[in-house]
Amino acid sequence: MRKVTIAAYDKQWPAMFEDESLLLKRTLGHVIAQIHHVGSTSVPGLAAKPTIDILLEVVSLNALDTLNAAMARAGYRARGENGIPNRRYFTKGGEQRSHQVHAFATGDRQIVRHLAFRDYLIGNQEAAERYTEVKRSAARASENDMHRYSTFKAGFIEYHLQLALADWARRASLPRENQD
């Protein structure tokens, strides 16, 4: 059974993302349109489960599906949509999960949701600190049940995701020189 552990921010997480990005680029090649570090490990200073979340924008989910064996050779387990329509989800590390890949076709609305939430937490230290508190409380209350852990965090995430999406939309409508 996986244990829900919240670790202090590790300055190695960005390097771990970069290393894995290179492996994924070699493994998937032209199927990757863009690759992003998302999730709590992508937010400097934020405590997190020590699992690197990677968001892949792919040219086609069908093309990605043909590479499940290559992903297995790279240490990943294909888990299909795993509850989110039009996603391909891969995990690495078994019970001691080290990486998760969330793949969506370029243009899928889930991409913006992940990036907006990440950018919002990076730019809002107060929200990031509160999120750390929420995650630590959720970890204690969940008794190592990942579903319960996610449920405990859901209200915080949904509220702040809406703020993040509003900020993302506002920034997208500004001329580039005014985006700070």
Side-chain angles (χ1 to χ4, degrees), residues 17-180:
F17 163 75
E18 291 299 330
D19 290 345
E20 202 67 16
S21 293
L22 293 173
L23 173 64
L24 290 167
K25 288 173 185 175
R26 284 193 308 269
T27 301
L28 302 174
H30 69 281
V31 171
I32 297 175
Q34 290 194 58
I35 188 166
H36 309 277
H37 189 184
V38 295
S40 295
T41 62
S42 70
V43 179
L46 185 62
K49 291 190 323 290
T51 303
I52 306 300
D53 280 292
I54 298 170
L55 174 65
L56 294 181
E57 293 185 51
V58 297
V59 297
S60 158
L61 291 177
N62 290 334
L64 178 60
D65 289 342
T66 68
L67 296 170
N68 283 345
M71 285 293 280
R73 288 190 297 277
Y76 282 92
R77 178 177 170 216
R79 299 167 83 84
E81 289 184 332
N82 203 51
I84 299 178
N86 300 313
R87 172 179 75 163
R88 296 302 181 268
Y89 180 60
F90 300 87
T91 59
K92 185 175 193 176
E95 293 297 317
Q96 300 299 318
R97 188 169 299 165
S98 61
H99 298 80
Q100 302 180 125
V101 171
H102 312 266
F104 298 94
T106 298
D108 191 291
R109 69 181 182 88
Q110 290 291 339
I111 295 167
V112 169
R113 293 170 62 86
H114 281 277
L115 297 178
F117 191 64
R118 176 202 63 194
D119 292 353
Y120 172 82
L121 290 175
I122 289 171
N124 189 329
Q125 184 175 355
E126 185 178 319
E129 289 171 0
R130 178 68 184 121
Y131 191 34
T132 292
E133 294 169 15
V134 167
K135 290 190 298 177
R136 286 188 172 135
S137 294
R140 284 189 300 273
S142 69
E143 300 175 348
N144 290 319
D145 180 320
M146 291 304 290
H147 180 72
R148 288 180 66 200
Y149 170 74
S150 295
T151 300
F152 283 124
K153 298 185 315 171
F156 177 93
I157 291 170
E158 190 54 40
Y159 174 77
H160 288 277
L161 177 59
Q162 294 311 310
L163 296 175
L165 290 170
D167 187 56
W168 183 276
R170 182 190 62 78
R171 293 173 68 77
S173 69
L174 290 175
R176 297 234 9 109
E177 64 270 5
N178 294 335
Q179 291 195 13
D180 288 321

